[in-house]
Amino acid sequence: QSQLHPNCSALGPNPHNDSNSSTWCSWAPFDGDNYKELFGALDNAFLVAYAIGMFISGIFGERLPLRYYLAGGMVLSGLFTALFGLGYFWDIHVLWYFIIVQVCNGLVQTTGWPAVVACVGNWFGKGKRGLIMGIWNSHTSVGNILGSLIAGAWVSSAWGLSFIVPGIIIAAVGIICFFFLVEYPEDVGCSPPLHHDAGGVTSNDKDPEAVTSNEGPLSISGQSSTDRSDSPKEPVEEPEAISFLGALQIPGVVEFSLCLLFAKLVSYTFLYWLPLYIVNVAHFSAKEAGDLSTLFDVGGILGGIFAGLISDYTGGRATTCCVMLVIAAPMLFLYNHVGQNGIGTSIAMLIICGALVNGPYALITTAVSADLGTHESLKGNAKALSTVTAIIDGTGSIGAALGPLLAGLISPTGWNNVFYMLIAADVLACLLLTRVVVKEVRGWCGCIARKRGYVRT
C-alpha cells in the first residue's frame, strides 16, 4: 500500500511516462486521499469472493477428482495473480480491472483448502492428527513469509513483479501436483487410517484391522485394507457425498465455524494491516515493516504445532483453542502498548501474538475439520471431509473479509480502537466454544471417575 501511494517518490524515471522527470508519482487510481478505501475494496473483493466461493467449492471437491480439482485451481490462481501484476506493465489505471481480477482470484483459490485438507485427512487418522496437521499447516505461514519476501524484492522498483513471480510459482507447483499428488493411500498399496473408533477414543492408526465398531460394519473409510483395495473407487460404488445441510448437522460444525469467523478476523487483520501499523507507529520503512511482519507468521508456525500437540495429548481440541484465545486477548493489548518499545520487544511480542492468534486458527482449519469430516455420526462415510472443511473455512473467511474492512474504517480514529476490536473478536471466538469445552471437560471428569472406580474395585 505504501508503495502505490507515495507522493511522487524518487524511484527513478517513470517507465510509463516519456517526460524527463527523475521522479514518478503514485499509481492512479491509488494516488488520491481515499487510497485506504480503495485498497480496502481490493482486499474485500478478494475475501468476499473467497468466502462465497468456499461454500460451493467443498461440494465440488467431494464430487471431482481432487488431483484435477486442486491442480486446475492452482494454475488459475497463478494466472489471475499474474494478471494483477501485469496491470503495471500494461499501464492500467482502471480500478475495476483490479477488482475483477481480485474477484476471479478469490473464487479460484477456494479450490485449494478443502482439497488439501481432504487429501491429508485421507492419509492420517485421528491418533496423531493434531501434531501432523499442525506441522503440515506451517506451510500457510511459510507461504505468507515467502510471499512477503518475494513481493518485497520488487515492491519499490517494479511492483508488478511482486504479483507475476508468485503467480508463476503457484502455477508451476500446480502442474507438479497434477503429476505427483496421490489422493488415497490405497492408490500406492498403503492401508487406510482409522479416523475414529466406536468409543470415540483415539485409535492406533497403524493397525486398522484390529478395531471393530459397535455401530455395525464400517463403510469405505473404516473397512479393512483388503476390502478397500479390492473395491474399485468408482463413483457409483462410493458412499454418496454429504449435503450442505447434512454437514451442518454434524455436532460441533456450527460452533467451530462461528469461532473461526472471529479467529480468522483477527488473523487476517494482522495479515493485511500489520505492515502499515508498523510503518505508522514504529516508523520503519515499507521493506523493513514487511520483513518484521513475517515474525507474526513465524509465531503462527510454532502456535499451530503446539496447539496440535497439546490437543492430541489431551483430546480436547476446543479446550486447547479456548485457552490460547483467552491468553491471546491480553497479549494483543500488550503488543499495542509496549510492542514498539524497541526491536527486541517488537520481535518477541509479534512471535507470541502470532502463536496465540494463529494456533487456534490452524487447529480448527486442519485437525478439527478433519475430525468433524470423519465424525462417528457419518458411520465411515469419507465423502464429507471437503464439504465440512469448506463450511468451516468459508464461515471463517467471512471474518477474514470483515476484519480488514473494519480495520480500515476504525483506523482513522486511532490504532487503539483497532486493537480493542481485535480483542473483542478474540473473546467472542472463545465464548462460542463454551458448549464444546464443557462437553470435553465432562468427558475428562467421567474418564477420571471411571478410572478411580476401577482402582477401588
Side-chain angles (χ1 to χ4, degrees):
Q1 295 182 2
S2 59
Q3 291 303 310
L4 292 182
H5 182 76
N7 282 326
C8 293
S9 298
L11 299 175
N14 184 352
H16 309 288
N17 192 335
D18 294 332
S19 69
N20 294 324
S21 173
S22 61
T23 62
W24 60 277
C25 292
S26 309
W27 195 265
F30 305 107
D31 55 350
D33 293 335
N34 64 337
Y35 74 101
K36 287 186 179 180
E37 288 78 5
L38 297 184
F39 285 127
L42 289 181
D43 291 343
N44 280 279
F46 174 87
L47 293 170
V48 170
Y50 185 89
I52 295 173
M54 184 60 75
F55 292 106
I56 304 170
S57 177
I59 298 174
F60 286 107
E62 302 288 10
R63 293 161 174 80
L64 296 174
L66 291 177
R67 184 164 62 94
Y68 297 156
Y69 192 56
L70 180 60
M74 293 177 72
V75 171
L76 289 175
S77 296
L79 172 64
F80 288 112
T81 301
L83 283 175
F84 193 100
L86 286 172
Y88 171 81
F89 295 98
W90 292 344
D91 201 16
I92 296 176
H93 298 273
V94 180
L95 178 64
W96 282 106
Y97 170 84
F98 297 103
I99 289 180
I100 291 172
V101 170
Q102 286 286 77
V103 169
C104 294
N105 204 351
L107 290 174
V108 297
Q109 285 199 27
T110 59
T111 60
W113 198 246
V116 295
V117 172
C119 283
V120 177
N122 290 335
W123 276 87
F124 299 103
K126 190 175 181 181
K128 300 295 182 182
R129 181 178 280 160
L131 176 60
I132 291 171
M133 284 195 156
I135 296 172
W136 168 76
N137 185 68
S138 65
H139 72 270
T140 57
S141 295
V142 173
N144 288 339
I145 293 170
L146 290 177
S148 296
L149 296 177
I150 291 172
W154 293 283
V155 70
S156 296
S157 54
W159 63 261
L161 291 175
S162 298
F163 294 90
I164 295 174
V165 173
I168 294 173
I169 292 173
I170 190 175
V173 175
I175 295 172
I176 293 173
C177 286
F178 176 80
F179 286 108
F180 296 103
L181 179 66
V182 179
E183 297 180 31
Y184 298 96
E186 305 88 309
D187 293 341
V188 289
C190 297
S191 299
L194 276 184
H195 295 297
H196 58 78
D197 62 20
V201 182
T202 301
S203 303
N204 185 354
D205 303 342
K206 298 181 180 179
D207 190 14
E209 295 182 355
V211 182
T212 57
S213 172
N214 295 333
E215 296 176 352
L218 292 178
S219 60
I220 293 299
S221 68
Q223 64 190 35
S224 70
S225 59
T226 303
D227 295 339
R228 180 74 181 260
S229 59
D230 290 341
S231 59
K233 295 187 291 297
E234 304 291 340
V236 294
E237 297 187 17
E238 289 187 347
E240 184 179 353
I242 194 171
S243 67
F244 185 88
L245 292 178
L248 285 176
Q249 294 173 6
I250 298 173
V253 167
V254 173
E255 288 94 336
F256 278 107
S257 297
L258 294 176
C259 172
L260 186 62
L261 186 152
F262 291 102
K264 208 168 180 180
L265 182 153
V266 178
S267 179
Y268 268 65
T269 302
F270 267 92
L271 178 65
Y272 281 87
W273 285 89
L274 183 57
L276 187 62
Y277 171 78
I278 294 174
V279 168
N280 289 344
V281 176
H283 307 293
F284 286 102
S285 68
K287 178 68 167 58
E288 292 170 336
D291 293 343
L292 194 60
S293 67
T294 61
L295 294 172
F296 186 81
D297 289 298
V298 172
I301 295 174
L302 301 176
I305 296 173
F306 181 77
L309 181 63
I310 295 299
S311 68
D312 279 343
Y313 179 77
T314 62
R317 309 283 197 212
T319 305
T320 302
C321 292
C322 195
V323 170
M324 295 184 76
L325 290 168
V326 167
I327 300 174
M331 289 298 105
L332 291 174
F333 180 84
L334 285 176
Y335 173 69
N336 182 43
H337 284 81
V338 303
Q340 306 303 327
N341 295 345
I343 187 68
T345 304
S346 183
I347 290 173
M349 292 299 299
L350 280 173
I351 293 176
I352 292 172
C353 289
L356 294 172
V357 169
N358 286 337
Y361 163 32
L363 185 63
I364 293 173
T365 55
T366 55
V368 169
S369 297
D371 288 349
L372 296 176
T374 54
H375 194 268
E376 288 95 332
S377 63
L378 298 171
K379 297 182 179 180
N381 185 356
K383 303 290 286 184
L385 260 172
S386 185
T387 301
V388 169
T389 302
I391 290 174
I392 292 176
D393 198 47
T395 306
S397 297
I398 296 174
L402 288 175
L405 176 63
L406 291 175
L409 295 174
I410 297 173
S411 59
T413 66
W415 286 104
N416 286 342
N417 293 330
V418 174
F419 275 85
Y420 293 148
M421 180 267 291
L422 296 178
I423 292 170
D426 188 87
V427 173
L428 285 173
C430 181
L431 292 176
L432 286 164
L433 289 181
T434 302
R435 188 191 70 83
V436 188
V437 171
V438 170
K439 182 179 179 181
E440 290 179 352
V441 172
R442 285 178 176 174
W444 292 334
C445 294
C447 183
I448 293 173
R450 286 193 298 270
K451 288 181 178 179
R452 287 178 176 175
Y454 177 78
V455 171
R456 282 195 293 267
T457 59

